[in-house]
Every structure is written in structure tokens, then in C-alpha cells.
Amino acid sequence: MKHIRVGDLMTDDVISVVSLTSFKEVAKLLAQHDISGLPVLDDEDRVVGVVSESDLLGRQAAGHSDAGATDLSGSELAAADVMSTPAVTVHAQESAREAARRMTRSGVERLPVVDDEERLVGIVTRRDLLRLFLRPDAEIRRHVIHDVLESTMGLAPDAVTVHVVDGVVTLEGRLESRSRLAILVYLVEQLDGVVAVVNRATAPADGPVPASLQEVAHGPSAGR
């Protein structure tokens, strides 16, 4: 099934700094561009950390009250002194759903997007990922019918009646087995933009889910 990728949502014009950028300049960039954080790069554009407003405020709360904070030796602090590292990053080809999970697990509000050599190519924020849940109901219904029923499960497009309202998918009808119905519900839940699935479809009882169908729902390693 098709999923929205990080590359479809990311911003590729990224405000970034290098390790030696001063504390004051970082604070100025955050304010000027109305952003809450930015990536820190090395000489080869590889992401080495992220500086957020909370990083700056935390350093100030530790005893540095002026905009151009200094360390105990009197030297002005730089991005490398206040950044969070290692940076939590994501690749453009990864699914937006996985990016959202990673963002939630890590407790961050943005993920630098990197290429295979860890060089910065974009950034994705929580606000960007919220667009996942703004897909039109008609588009979600189309994906349920085409991607799930027809392409993945090999069923007729009218095998199950599909209703979508505000991202909530309701399934009605009857399938030939409960295992098939369970897989249908699972696959619909994985679609981008689906908030919840209400299953009103029915099916007769059957045995364990066949291995071939487990692989469709969970991947080749399912059931091992």
C-alpha cells in the first residue's frame, strides 16, 4: 500500500547553523524566522545536533541571563555548547507515520531529514505531520477500496461497504472468514489519515490466520 513519505511533507529550505555559531546568533535566527529549533551541521553538511528554544532557555536558567550567554571562563557560548546530541533524524523515503512515531518516542518537535550520508536535505515538524490527518474523506475511501480491498486483498471493490466521515472509516458487509476480516481492519488502520476504524462487517468463525495473509498484514517475519 502507498504511504505518504517524509519527503512529501518536509521543508527543504532549512535554517541551520554550524557548531561555532554563537549563542546570540542562534537566538536571533529562531526569533527572526519564528521557529522553535534548528539543526547544527558540520563542515560537510552532516547533522551533528539540534538547538531548540528549550536548549537556550535551559542554559540561561543555569545562570546565563544575557542574550549572548558565556561560559564560566568568560567565552561566548556557541551552538555546540547548547545543542542536543546526537540528533534524532529521519530519511526522506521513510513513511510519515514512522516519523511521527519517532518524534513522539523521542519527545522532539522536529526531525532533520538526511540523505544516506547523513547530510541535511530538509526538516519535518509536528505541524507538517498533522497534515496526515487532514486528508479528505473521499481520498481515504478511495485508498481503502483500491489499495486495500482490490490491490492488497484481491477482493471486489464492493466486497465491503466503506463509509468515511472525519477520518473515521466504517466497514459494513460480510467476508468469508474472520481471519480475512481481521486483516482488512488491520490494513485500513495503517492507512495515512485514518483516525479510527468502526468494524460492522461480519464473517463466520475459522481457524488461525493463514501464514500468507499474516505476511500481507505484518510482513514476512510475522508469526515467527
Side-chain angles (χ1 to χ4, degrees):
M1 293 185 296
K2 297 178 181 178
H3 288 281
I4 295 177
R5 302 295 173 183
V6 170
D8 300 323
L9 299 175
M10 73 180 189
T11 298
D12 53 16
D13 184 14
V14 187
I15 307 301
S16 62
V17 296
V18 296
S19 298
L20 295 179
T21 302
S22 70
F23 183 103
K24 182 176 182 179
E25 182 61 25
V26 172
K28 184 186 299 184
L29 287 171
L30 293 179
Q32 286 180 342
H33 297 279
D34 192 26
I35 54 179
S36 59
L38 45 76
V40 183
L41 311 181
D42 65 13
D43 294 338
E44 297 182 347
D45 289 339
R46 292 187 175 89
V47 180
V48 295
V50 172
V51 176
S52 67
E53 290 176 331
S54 59
D55 293 324
L56 299 185
L57 292 173
R59 181 55 64 115
Q60 287 181 318
H64 308 288
S65 58
D66 60 298
T70 58
D71 61 21
L72 294 178
S73 68
S75 300
E76 185 176 0
L77 292 174
D81 300 313
V82 296
M83 69 183 182
S84 298
T85 186
V88 182
T89 62
V90 67
H91 291 88
Q93 65 269 27
E94 293 185 67
S95 73
R97 186 178 292 272
E98 174 56 32
R101 293 193 187 106
R102 190 171 308 168
M103 195 175 287
T104 300
R105 288 195 302 263
S106 303
V108 297
E109 296 184 358
R110 71 204 56 78
L111 294 173
V113 184
V114 297
D115 62 16
D116 292 338
E117 296 183 1
E118 301 303 314
R119 291 176 301 201
L120 183 71
V121 296
I123 197 162
V124 64
T125 67
R126 286 186 179 181
R127 184 178 300 176
D128 296 326
L129 295 177
L130 283 176
R131 290 164 55 189
L132 283 176
F133 298 100
L134 298 177
R135 300 183 82 180
D137 290 339
E139 182 180 337
I140 294 174
R141 183 176 184 273
R142 185 166 59 251
H143 282 291
V144 171
I145 293 173
H146 176 72
D147 293 347
V148 178
L149 291 176
E150 295 183 288
S151 298
T152 303
M153 298 193 67
L155 298 172
D158 58 353
V160 173
T161 302
V162 180
H163 302 284
V164 185
V165 178
D166 294 334
V168 178
V169 179
T170 301
L171 304 173
E172 297 178 340
R174 184 174 177 83
L175 290 184
E176 71 274 18
S177 67
R178 288 186 184 175
S179 58
R180 295 275 282 181
L181 180 55
I183 289 173
L184 170 62
V185 172
Y186 172 85
L187 292 175
V188 173
E189 289 174 338
Q190 306 313 302
L191 285 176
D192 296 324
V194 172
V195 175
V197 176
V198 177
N199 178 29
R200 293 178 180 164
T202 61
D206 60 350
V209 178
S212 60
L213 292 181
Q214 287 185 9
E215 290 187 5
V216 169
H218 301 287
S221 61
R224 295 181 184 175

